[in-house]
Amino acid sequence: MSSTDDYYFQYKGCTFISSIYKKEHLEQLEHFEINDSDVFIVTYPKSGTIWMQQILSLIYSGGDISAIQRKLAIERVPWIEVPDSKFPERPSPRLNVMHLPYQLIPKGLKEKKGKVIYVARNPKDIMVSSYYFHKYFAMFEAPKNFMDFFEKFLDGRVVFSCWFDHIRDWYVHKDEFNFLLITYEQLKKDCRATIQKICNFVGRQLDDEQLENVMKYSSFNEMKTNPMANYENIPKKEMGTFLRKGIIGDWKNHFTVAQSEMFDKIFQERMKDVPLEFIWDEK
């Protein structure tokens, strides 16, 4: 039987998947040179990362759908923490995603070079989505059951460690960056206005037709059937999909009343000085 140590390693307080990430690369990327034209999507896992890869690709192609039909999302908007991201040699504008906590990012970002779009999502839905992803993705240790994963998530004993630390550290230090914070729920509730906000932030103006294309081809149903976006070829442990439901409030189908109350208490304690509001259901 495999142990947790077979799957993960720790680097400067953050948990990484051993089969994907390398300490040598993580050490180097802190010193990568950042250009003003670089754009970084920052998310805690399962917060809408693939959605943002698709949106950003379409914004920078002016809504041209051929851009999302020829290349995989990971090639269009790579993770910089993955060793084969080829970040230094890519031409501008370099579009990137990362799950990195604040303490591990390239130092140039803190000099207000490049742009950072932080995407937050309500953590109860993140937990449920992450639970299913751990069951599905072969490179993750499979959770014993939901209660076991619930406890690990709250303790930060998961990939990229504690959600509370991740969002707090980025939010507290937001003034160090060219920074835009949006939420998964804002994208769901008012996709057009949120995409327009992103366009304004990165300095790309689209006409109505182009904006409609961005909205249409970054929709959940479009991405789920697009092999260039849906990560269908990743190694799997069991049947399922990378893109599962894409809804707000699925946590209600999994949390007991006691679990919800426990989570709420911890949330209030850990987030009391972080003035962020989350949408917890579709109402």
Side-chain angles (χ1 to χ4, degrees):
M1 183 179 292
S2 298
S3 71
T4 298
D5 290 342
D6 293 331
Y7 287 96
Y8 310 126
F9 69 90
Q10 291 281 319
Y11 177 72
K12 294 188 177 181
C14 186
T15 302
F16 292 90
I17 308 171
S18 301
S19 55
I20 297 177
Y21 306 100
K22 304 300 175 191
K23 288 184 180 180
E24 296 79 9
H25 179 72
L26 296 172
E27 289 169 353
Q28 293 168 2
L29 70 79
E30 292 182 58
H31 306 288
F32 282 171
E33 186 173 344
I34 305 301
N35 299 329
D36 288 336
S37 58
D38 293 338
V39 179
F40 296 85
I41 302 160
V42 181
T43 63
Y44 187 84
K46 311 311 291 181
S47 300
T49 317
I50 297 171
W51 198 3
M52 282 299 300
Q53 284 177 305
Q54 196 80 340
I55 287 170
L56 210 59
S57 297
L58 286 162
I59 288 174
Y60 271 79
S61 73
D64 181 359
I65 63 172
S66 66
I68 60 165
Q69 294 172 332
R70 293 194 305 259
K71 293 176 70 175
L72 292 167
I74 196 171
E75 297 171 344
R76 290 181 265 120
V77 190
W79 274 272
I80 66 164
E81 60 266 42
V82 175
D84 59 1
S85 65
K86 300 179 181 177
F87 176 78
E89 60 261 39
R90 281 193 279 127
S92 294
R94 296 181 295 192
L95 309 180
N96 317 272
V97 290
M98 61 176 164
H99 292 320
L100 291 171
Y102 167 81
Q103 72 268 22
L104 297 184
I105 63 173
K107 292 179 170 59
L109 274 175
K110 299 175 187 177
E111 300 168 4
K112 294 201 172 183
K113 294 179 180 177
K115 292 181 171 65
V116 172
I117 304 169
Y118 191 100
V119 187
R121 185 184 188 186
N122 92 64
K124 289 182 177 180
D125 278 338
I126 288 177
M127 184 191 292
V128 169
S129 181
S130 188
Y131 168 69
Y132 281 102
F133 190 48
H134 276 70
K135 291 178 66 176
Y136 168 68
F137 187 31
M139 294 182 182
F140 280 174
E141 181 183 28
K144 296 174 185 174
N145 50 55
F146 184 71
M147 185 62 199
D148 177 65
F149 190 79
F150 179 91
E151 293 172 351
K152 285 183 175 178
F153 186 91
L154 287 176
D155 291 343
R157 291 181 286 124
V158 290
V159 177
F160 288 97
S161 299
C162 178
W163 176 86
F164 294 101
D165 291 341
H166 196 282
I167 194 165
R168 280 178 55 87
D169 287 346
W170 273 100
Y171 186 82
V172 167
H173 295 282
K174 67 183 186 303
D175 291 340
E176 297 175 12
F177 310 100
N178 292 319
F179 189 85
L180 174 67
L181 187 142
I182 62 172
T183 71
Y184 182 98
E185 293 78 17
Q186 285 171 342
L187 270 170
K188 291 288 291 183
K189 296 279 189 181
D190 195 345
C191 189
R192 174 184 283 273
T194 309
I195 290 174
Q196 186 62 63
K197 185 183 293 186
I198 295 167
C199 288
N200 294 342
F201 179 67
V202 299
R204 311 284 289 198
Q205 296 307 312
L206 305 181
D207 60 31
D208 287 344
E209 182 180 353
Q210 292 170 326
L211 194 58
E212 286 294 329
N213 272 354
V214 176
M215 292 171 59
K216 177 180 178 181
Y217 291 101
S218 64
S219 70
F220 185 83
N221 289 337
E222 285 284 342
M223 289 193 300
K224 194 156 186 170
T225 58
N226 179 355
M228 296 292 106
N230 63 19
Y231 287 79
E232 63 182 16
N233 293 320
I234 65 169
K236 310 169 186 66
K237 284 197 290 277
E238 61 176 51
M239 292 297 290
T241 57
F242 196 109
L243 297 170
R244 197 175 64 89
K245 285 189 176 181
I247 62 174
I248 303 170
D250 191 37
W251 65 270
K252 290 184 173 182
N253 299 317
H254 298 80
F255 279 52
T256 65
V257 172
Q259 286 172 337
S260 184
E261 289 176 350
M262 181 194 303
F263 193 100
D264 290 346
K265 182 179 179 183
I266 293 170
F267 181 91
Q268 288 161 11
E269 290 172 355
R270 298 292 303 272
M271 300 289 285
K272 61 186 176 184
D273 55 349
V274 181
L276 292 175
E277 293 186 6
F278 290 92
I279 298 171
W280 301 95
D281 55 51
E282 290 281 10
K283 292 180 182 177

